Coordinates of all heavy atoms in Angstrom, one line a residue:
Chain A
T131 N 34.7 -110.7 68.9 CA 35.7 -110.0 69.8 C 36.5 -110.9 70.6 O 37.7 -110.7 70.7 CB 34.9 -109.0 70.7 OG1 34.1 -108.1 69.8 CG2 35.8 -108.2 71.6
I134 N 39.2 -112.7 68.3 CA 40.5 -112.0 68.0 C 41.4 -112.0 69.2 O 42.6 -112.0 69.1 CB 40.3 -110.6 67.4 CG1 39.6 -109.7 68.4 CG2 39.4 -110.7 66.1 CD1 39.7 -108.2 68.0
R138 N 45.3 -113.3 69.5 CA 46.4 -112.5 70.1 C 47.0 -113.3 71.2 O 48.3 -113.3 71.4 CB 45.8 -111.2 70.7 CG 45.5 -110.2 69.6 CD 44.8 -109.0 70.2 NE 44.7 -107.9 69.2 CZ 43.8 -107.0 69.2 NH1 42.9 -106.9 70.1 NH2 43.8 -106.1 68.2
K144 N 49.9 -108.5 68.2 CA 48.8 -107.5 68.5 C 47.8 -107.3 67.3 O 46.6 -107.0 67.6 CB 49.5 -106.1 68.7 CG 50.2 -106.0 70.0 CD 50.8 -104.6 70.0 CE 51.5 -104.3 71.3 NZ 52.2 -103.1 71.4
I146 N 45.3 -107.3 64.0 CA 44.3 -108.0 63.4 C 44.0 -107.4 62.0 O 43.9 -106.2 61.9 CB 43.0 -108.0 64.2 CG1 43.3 -108.7 65.6 CG2 41.8 -108.7 63.5 CD1 43.5 -110.1 65.6
M148 N 41.2 -107.1 58.9 CA 39.8 -107.3 58.5 C 39.6 -106.7 57.1 O 40.5 -106.0 56.6 CB 38.8 -106.7 59.5 CG 39.0 -105.2 59.7 SD 37.8 -104.5 61.0 CE 36.3 -104.4 60.0
A156 N 29.4 -104.3 66.8 CA 29.4 -102.9 67.2 C 30.5 -102.6 68.2 O 30.4 -101.5 68.8 CB 28.0 -102.6 67.7
H157 N 31.4 -103.5 68.5 CA 32.4 -103.2 69.5 C 33.4 -102.2 69.0 O 33.6 -102.0 67.7 CB 33.1 -104.5 69.9 CG 32.2 -105.4 70.8 ND1 32.7 -106.4 71.6 CD2 30.9 -105.4 71.0 CE1 31.7 -107.0 72.2 NE2 30.6 -106.4 71.9
A158 N 34.2 -101.6 69.9 CA 35.1 -100.5 69.5 C 36.1 -100.8 68.4 O 36.4 -100.0 67.5 CB 35.8 -100.0 70.8
W159 N 36.6 -102.1 68.5 CA 37.6 -102.4 67.5 C 37.1 -102.5 66.1 O 37.9 -102.3 65.1 CB 38.3 -103.7 67.9 CG 37.4 -105.0 67.8 CD1 36.6 -105.5 68.7 CD2 37.3 -105.8 66.6 NE1 36.0 -106.6 68.2 CE2 36.4 -106.8 66.9 CE3 37.9 -105.8 65.3 CZ2 36.1 -107.9 66.0 CZ3 37.6 -106.9 64.5 CH2 36.7 -107.8 64.8
C160 N 35.8 -102.8 65.9 CA 35.3 -103.0 64.6 C 34.2 -102.1 64.1 O 33.8 -102.2 62.9 CB 34.9 -104.5 64.4 SG 33.6 -104.9 65.6
T161 N 33.8 -101.2 64.9 CA 32.7 -100.3 64.5 C 33.2 -99.2 63.5 O 34.4 -98.8 63.7 CB 31.9 -99.7 65.6 OG1 30.9 -98.8 65.1 CG2 32.8 -98.8 66.5
Y163 N 31.8 -96.3 63.5 CA 31.4 -95.1 64.1 C 32.3 -94.6 65.2 O 32.7 -95.4 66.0 CB 29.9 -95.2 64.6 CG 28.9 -95.4 63.5 CD1 28.6 -96.7 63.0 CD2 28.4 -94.3 62.8 CE1 27.8 -96.9 62.0 CE2 27.5 -94.5 61.8 CZ 27.2 -95.8 61.3 OH 26.4 -95.9 60.3
P164 N 32.7 -93.4 65.2 CA 33.8 -92.9 66.1 C 33.3 -92.6 67.5 O 34.2 -92.5 68.4 CB 34.3 -91.7 65.4 CG 33.1 -91.1 64.6 CD 32.3 -92.3 64.2
G165 N 32.0 -92.5 67.7 CA 31.5 -92.0 69.0 C 32.0 -92.9 70.1 O 31.8 -94.1 70.2
G166 N 32.8 -92.3 71.1 CA 33.3 -93.0 72.3 C 34.4 -94.0 72.0 O 34.8 -94.7 72.9
V167 N 34.9 -94.0 70.8 CA 36.0 -94.9 70.5 C 37.3 -94.2 70.5 O 37.5 -93.2 69.9 CB 35.8 -95.5 69.0 CG1 36.9 -96.5 68.7 CG2 34.5 -96.3 69.0
L168 N 38.3 -94.8 71.3 CA 39.6 -94.1 71.3 C 40.4 -94.6 70.1 O 40.3 -95.7 69.7 CB 40.3 -94.6 72.6 CG 39.6 -94.3 73.9 CD1 40.4 -94.9 75.1 CD2 39.4 -92.8 74.1
P169 N 41.3 -93.7 69.6 CA 42.1 -94.1 68.5 C 42.9 -95.4 68.9 O 43.2 -96.2 68.1 CB 43.0 -92.9 68.3 CG 42.3 -91.8 68.9 CD 41.4 -92.3 70.0
E170 N 43.3 -95.5 70.2 CA 44.1 -96.6 70.6 C 43.4 -98.0 70.4 O 44.0 -99.0 70.2 CB 44.5 -96.5 72.1 CG 45.4 -95.3 72.4 CD 44.6 -94.1 72.8 OE1 43.6 -93.8 72.1 OE2 45.1 -93.3 73.6
E171 N 42.1 -97.9 70.4 CA 41.3 -99.1 70.3 C 41.3 -99.6 68.9 O 40.9 -100.8 68.6 CB 39.9 -98.9 70.8 CG 39.8 -98.7 72.3 CD 38.4 -98.4 72.8 OE1 37.9 -97.3 72.5 OE2 37.9 -99.2 73.6
K172 N 41.7 -98.8 68.0 CA 41.7 -99.2 66.5 C 43.1 -99.3 66.0 O 43.3 -99.8 64.9 CB 41.0 -98.0 65.7 CG 39.6 -97.9 66.0 CD 38.8 -98.5 64.8 CE 37.4 -98.2 64.9 NZ 36.7 -99.0 63.9
E173 N 44.1 -98.9 66.8 CA 45.5 -98.8 66.2 C 46.1 -100.2 65.8 O 47.0 -100.2 65.1 CB 46.4 -98.0 67.1 CG 46.9 -98.7 68.4 CD 47.7 -97.8 69.3 OE1 47.7 -96.6 69.1 OE2 48.3 -98.4 70.2
N174 N 45.5 -101.2 66.4 CA 46.0 -102.5 66.0 C 45.1 -103.3 65.0 O 45.2 -104.5 64.8 CB 46.3 -103.4 67.2 CG 47.5 -102.9 67.9 OD1 48.6 -102.7 67.4 ND2 47.4 -102.5 69.2
I175 N 44.2 -102.5 64.4 CA 43.3 -103.1 63.4 C 43.8 -102.6 62.0 O 43.8 -101.4 61.8 CB 41.8 -102.7 63.7 CG1 41.4 -103.2 65.1 CG2 40.9 -103.4 62.6 CD1 41.5 -104.6 65.4
L176 N 44.1 -103.5 61.1 CA 44.5 -103.2 59.8 C 43.4 -103.6 58.8 O 42.6 -104.5 59.1 CB 45.8 -103.9 59.4 CG 46.9 -103.7 60.4 CD1 48.1 -104.7 60.1 CD2 47.4 -102.3 60.4
Chain B
N158 N 40.1 -91.6 59.4 CA 39.6 -92.8 58.8 C 38.2 -92.6 58.2 O 37.8 -93.2 57.2 CB 39.5 -94.0 59.8 CG 40.9 -94.5 60.1 OD1 41.8 -94.4 59.3 ND2 41.0 -95.1 61.3

Side-chain angles (χ1 to χ4, degrees):
Chain A
T131 302
I134 66 165
R138 285 171 171 157
K144 288 181 179 173
I146 299 292
M148 61 181 277
H157 288 197
W159 69 271
C160 57
T161 180
Y163 294 90
V167 176
L168 302 176
E170 294 89 326
E171 290 175 294
K172 292 256 188 190
E173 73 186 14
N174 288 305
I175 304 298
L176 308 170
Chain B
N158 285 340

